[in-house]
Amino acid sequence: MQEMMIIIIGAILINNIVLSQFLGCCPFLGVSKKLSSAIGMGVAVTFVLTIASLITWLVQKFILVNLGIEYLQTIAFILVIASLVQFVEMVIRKKSPDLYKALGVYLPLITTNCAVLGVAIINIQKSYTFMQTLANSLGNALGFTLALILFAGIRERLEEADIPKSLQGMPIALITAALMSIAFLGFTGLL
């Protein structure tokens, strides 16, 4: 149990998928303008990333390795991720049309979110067991969500700040993301 907690905390704070490994920056920058859409995207990515990592681990272990076709890993993983994203998109469209509209183009882009594919591949590269894969996937998903929510909160506050015209919009967002990344470096060596 202690090992699982170390993996989860490490993935959330120390090796944050967005702020330390710089995967998933497109939705991080694109959906973080409003806190409500950031929370929705965080929940969607958490679901997709966790379930996709578990399914891809099973596909790798029981299909690709047994058939000797590990070289098809990326294609197989993308197919699993795309299927899950389609499912999530249908559920959100039906259950929360406002969130579906707020997420816009970024919801189907979870399919190509390199954080989702990256975590699935990292789990295989580190030879994690099924439970370690679950812990790492959940930790990375929560880390992505944490970074997204913190960034959205800061960006909402920046809307009211007196920022020079040349820094408004994306320049101040990139500066803020860089400062958040530096702040998360403070967790290095925690575990």
Side-chain angles (χ1 to χ4, degrees), residues 31 46 108 117 147 170 177:
V31 183
T46 298
L117 181 61
M170 194 51 68

Side-chain angles (χ1 to χ4, degrees), residues 140-158:
N140 275 293
L142 293 174
F144 179 87
T145 303
L146 174 67
L148 197 62
I149 290 171
L150 290 174
F151 194 52
I154 293 169
R155 285 184 78 177
E156 282 186 356
R157 302 265 327 252
L158 286 174

Side-chain angles (χ1 to χ4, degrees), residues 20-169:
S20 295
Q21 298 182 34
F22 307 109
L23 295 174
C25 290
C26 179
F28 176 71
L29 292 170
V31 183
S32 60
K33 292 179 183 172
K34 297 269 185 258
L35 193 56
S36 59
S37 59
I39 292 169
M41 177 60 91
V43 170
V45 168
T46 298
F47 177 79
V48 170
L49 197 149
T50 304
I51 301 300
S53 291
L54 294 176
I55 293 172
T56 55
W57 186 90
L58 292 169
V59 166
Q60 176 76 18
K61 177 102 173 143
F62 296 110
I63 298 173
L64 299 178
V65 171
N66 284 342
L67 296 175
I69 53 173
E70 295 94 343
Y71 58 89
L72 294 175
Q73 180 186 64
T74 304
I75 294 169
F77 287 10
I78 289 173
L79 287 173
V80 169
I81 293 165
S83 301
L84 282 169
V85 169
Q86 288 300 311
F87 173 74
V88 168
E89 188 175 3
M90 289 186 304
V91 169
I92 291 176
R93 185 184 307 156
K94 179 121 178 124
K95 299 287 183 190
S96 181
D98 292 336
L99 177 59
Y100 179 77
K101 193 177 285 187
L103 294 176
V105 71
Y106 293 100
L107 186 57
L109 284 178
I110 294 175
T111 302
T112 58
N113 184 342
C114 54
V116 178
L117 181 61
V119 170
I121 292 173
I122 287 169
N123 289 331
I124 301 302
Q125 287 177 342
K126 290 189 175 184
S127 300
Y128 280 154
T129 65
F130 187 78
M131 291 307 292
Q132 290 172 326
T133 296
L134 174 63
N136 188 52
S137 303
L138 186 61
N140 275 293
L142 293 174
F144 179 87
T145 303
L146 174 67
L148 197 62
I149 290 171
L150 290 174
F151 194 52
I154 293 169
R155 285 184 78 177
E156 282 186 356
R157 302 265 327 252
L158 286 174
E159 291 291 320
E160 301 169 9
D162 186 26
I163 298 171
K165 188 165 177 71
S166 61
L167 292 177
Q168 290 177 1

